[in-house]
C-alpha cells in the first residue's frame, strides 16, 4: 500500500525515559557507544533517549532490538502505561484534531484506548479476560464505547471472529479453553472492535510454535493491508519486522542506531548491531 508520509497518525519526537535522576552526565555516559544504558554513579537507567519517528495511515513501522534496547519502553510510553521523562507523542485523531498524548488525563487516556488505540500483547492473557467467551471479550470494548444493542454487539463480534479466522462455532466458548494461537486471534478481533486508528503490536508471535506464528503473521499482514491502519510493531526478530512492516527503526541501549525501509535494512544493514540482528534472522 502506498502511503502519504504527511498523513501521519502518530508522531514521536525527542522521546526519552529515565529511571532515576535526569542529568547530562547520565545521558552522555550511556548509549551504544558506551555499551550500557545504566549510569553507575547515580544508578540512573536511560531506557530511551531522543527517539523519534512518524507513522502514516496505512503504514506499519517496526521497532526492533534485543531485550534492554528500549523498544518496549517506547511502546509503553505510546500506550500511556509509562510517563516519558521528556519528548512529545502526538496522535491525529479521527476528527483530525491533534492530541498530545503526554498531556492527557488518565480518563482521557483510557477513553482514547477504548476508541482509537488498541494493543495486541505478546501474551494474549494480558489482552483478554480468560474467564469470558470469545464473544464476551469483544463485547467489552464495544460496550465501553457505548454499544447497547445485544444483537448488534453479537453480530459485530461474529464478523470480527470470522475475519480473524476464529470458527464461529467457538464464539461462546470460554477463551481459557483456547490454544495460544487461537487466543491471539481472539485478541486481534478484540483489538479491532472499535475500528482503531492506531494498533500497537508487542511481540505478537513470541511464544507461539513456528507454524502457528506463521499463520498469525499472515493474518496480521492481511488485516493491515485491508484496513489501512497505522501500526507500530515491536519485536526482537527481524523476520517478524520484515513480514509486517515497510519501515523500521533499530534500537540499542536506548537509542535509535539505524532507520530506513525494512527491505533495504534487511539487504544492506549499515550499523554493526543491525547487521547482527539481520544475521540472526537469516540463520
Amino acid at each position: 500500500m502506498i502511503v502519504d508520509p504527511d498523513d501521519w497518525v502518530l508522531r514521536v519526537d525527542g522521546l526519552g525515559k529515565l529511571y532515576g535522576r535526569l542529568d547530562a552526565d547520565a545521558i552522555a555516559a550511556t548509549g551504544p557507544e558506551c555499551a550500557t544504558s545504566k549510569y553507575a554513579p547515580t544508578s540512573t537507567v536511560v531506557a530511551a533517549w531522543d527517539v523519534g519517528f512518524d507513522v502514516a495511515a496505512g503504514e506499519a513501522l517496526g521497532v526492533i532490538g534485543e531485550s534492554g534496547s528500549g523498544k518496549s519502553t517506547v511502546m509503553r510510553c505510546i500506550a500511556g502505561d509509562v510517563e516519558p521523562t521528556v519528548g512529545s507523542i502526538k496522535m491525529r485523531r479521527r476528527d483530525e484534531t491533534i492530541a498530545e498524548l503526554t498531556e492527557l488525563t488518565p480518563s482521557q487516556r483510557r477513553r482514547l484506548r477504548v476508541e482509537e488505540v488498541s494493543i495486541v500483547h505478546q501474551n494474549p492473557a494480558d489482552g483478554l479476560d480468560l474467564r469470558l467467551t470469545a464473544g464476551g471479550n469483544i463485547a467489552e470494548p464495544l460496550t465501553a464505547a457505548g454499544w447497547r444493542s445485544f444483537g448488534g454487539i453479537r453480530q459485530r463480534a461474529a464478523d470480527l471472529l470470522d475475519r480473524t479466522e476464529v470458527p464461529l462455532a467457538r464464539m461462546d466458548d470460554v477463551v481459557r479453553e483456547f490454544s495460544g494461537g487461537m487466543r491471539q486471534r481472539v485478541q486481534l478481533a478484540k483489538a479491532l472492535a472499535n475500528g482503531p486508528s492506531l494498533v500497537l503490536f508487542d511481540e505478537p508471535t513470541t511464544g507461539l510454535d513456528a507454524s502457528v506464528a506463521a499463520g498469525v503473521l499472515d493474518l496480521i499482514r492481511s488485516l493491515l493491508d485491508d484496513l489501512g491502519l497505522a501500526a507500530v510493531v515491536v519485536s526482537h526478530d527481524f523476520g517478524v519486522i520484515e513480514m509486517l512492516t515497510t519501515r523500521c527503526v533499530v534500537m540499542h541501549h536506548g537509542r535509535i542506531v539505524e532507520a530506513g525501509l525494512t527491505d533495504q535494512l534487511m539487504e544492506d544493514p549499515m550499523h554493526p548491531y543491525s547487521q547482527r540482528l539481520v544475521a540472526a534472522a537469516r540463520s
Side-chain angles (χ1 to χ4, degrees), residues 70-104:
K71 65 185 188 303
S72 295
T73 296
V74 171
M75 172 74 87
R76 295 179 69 195
C77 286
I78 296 170
D81 296 329
V82 168
E83 192 71 30
T85 305
V86 297
S88 171
I89 306 172
K90 289 184 170 65
M91 181 176 172
R92 192 191 309 274
R93 306 194 64 169
R94 289 196 196 99
D95 61 6
E96 293 298 318
T97 60
I98 307 299
E100 173 54 65
L101 304 191
T102 63
E103 297 176 356
L104 297 181

Side-chain angles (χ1 to χ4, degrees), residues 1 163 221-229:
M1 176 181 291
R163 183 151 205 170
R221 179 68 269 169
S222 66
L223 290 171
L224 291 176
D225 287 343
D226 291 347
L227 300 176
L229 303 169

Side-chain angles (χ1 to χ4, degrees), residues 228-248:
L229 303 169
V232 178
V233 182
V234 167
S235 180
H236 68 281
D237 185 348
F238 239 127
V240 171
I241 297 297
E242 183 181 27
M243 176 76 174
L244 297 181
T245 72
T246 50
R247 289 190 301 121
C248 67

Side-chain angles (χ1 to χ4, degrees), residues 16-50 68-69 252-257:
K17 176 62 182 177
L18 279 71
Y19 293 95
R21 192 174 69 200
L22 172 58
D23 63 63
D25 290 340
I27 295 165
T30 57
E33 296 81 4
C34 304
T36 184
S37 299
K38 185 174 182 178
Y39 182 53
T42 60
S43 296
T44 295
V45 175
V46 184
W49 192 254
D50 196 26
S69 65
H252 189 38
H253 290 303
R255 272 69 160 186
I256 292 177
V257 296

Side-chain angles (χ1 to χ4, degrees), residues 30-278:
T30 57
E33 296 81 4
C34 304
T36 184
S37 299
K38 185 174 182 178
Y39 182 53
T42 60
S43 296
T44 295
V45 175
V46 184
W49 192 254
D50 196 26
V51 175
F53 52 78
D54 290 353
V55 187
E59 178 182 40
L61 178 127
V63 182
I64 184 167
E66 296 169 306
S67 177
S69 65
K71 65 185 188 303
S72 295
T73 296
V74 171
M75 172 74 87
R76 295 179 69 195
C77 286
I78 296 170
D81 296 329
V82 168
E83 192 71 30
T85 305
V86 297
S88 171
I89 306 172
K90 289 184 170 65
M91 181 176 172
R92 192 191 309 274
R93 306 194 64 169
R94 289 196 196 99
D95 61 6
E96 293 298 318
T97 60
I98 307 299
E100 173 54 65
L101 304 191
T102 63
E103 297 176 356
L104 297 181
T105 65
S107 62
Q108 289 172 328
R109 190 175 293 121
R110 286 192 296 271
R111 195 66 192 171
L112 189 72
R113 287 272 289 264
V114 167
E115 295 177 346
E116 296 196 51
V117 179
S118 291
I119 303 173
V120 176
H121 298 271
Q122 172 180 334
N123 182 355
D126 293 332
L128 298 171
D129 187 334
L130 300 186
R131 300 167 298 178
L132 297 180
T133 65
N137 270 279
I138 297 170
E140 278 192 325
L142 293 174
T143 55
W147 289 56
R148 293 294 177 264
S149 166
F150 174 79
I153 291 172
R154 190 165 179 83
Q155 185 59 54
R156 176 65 173 163
D159 291 344
L160 288 165
L161 290 172
D162 182 57
R163 183 151 205 170
T164 55
E165 301 175 4
V166 177
L168 294 185
R170 303 207 63 184
M171 182 174 174
D172 296 317
D173 290 351
V174 176
V175 173
R176 184 188 298 112
E177 302 170 357
F178 286 27
S179 67
M182 197 62 69
R183 289 180 184 180
Q184 195 65 298
R185 292 173 186 272
V186 175
Q187 189 184 189
L188 280 169
K190 181 178 180 179
L192 298 174
N194 287 318
S197 303
L198 173 68
V199 181
L200 309 175
F201 293 90
D202 183 12
E203 301 277 8
T205 58
T206 298
L208 299 178
D209 291 341
S211 60
V212 175
V216 171
L217 287 174
D218 282 339
L219 174 60
I220 293 172
R221 179 68 269 169
S222 66
L223 290 171
L224 291 176
D225 287 343
D226 291 347
L227 300 176
L229 303 169
V232 178
V233 182
V234 167
S235 180
H236 68 281
D237 185 348
F238 239 127
V240 171
I241 297 297
E242 183 181 27
M243 176 76 174
L244 297 181
T245 72
T246 50
R247 289 190 301 121
C248 67
V249 297
V250 181
M251 293 194 65
H252 189 38
H253 290 303
R255 272 69 160 186
I256 292 177
V257 296
E258 191 166 358
L261 296 175
T262 302
D263 57 356
Q264 291 181 357
L265 277 173
M266 285 295 294
E267 288 299 320
D268 188 24
M270 303 302 293
H271 194 278
Y273 181 69
S274 304
Q275 293 170 359
R276 191 161 77 243
L277 292 177
V278 169

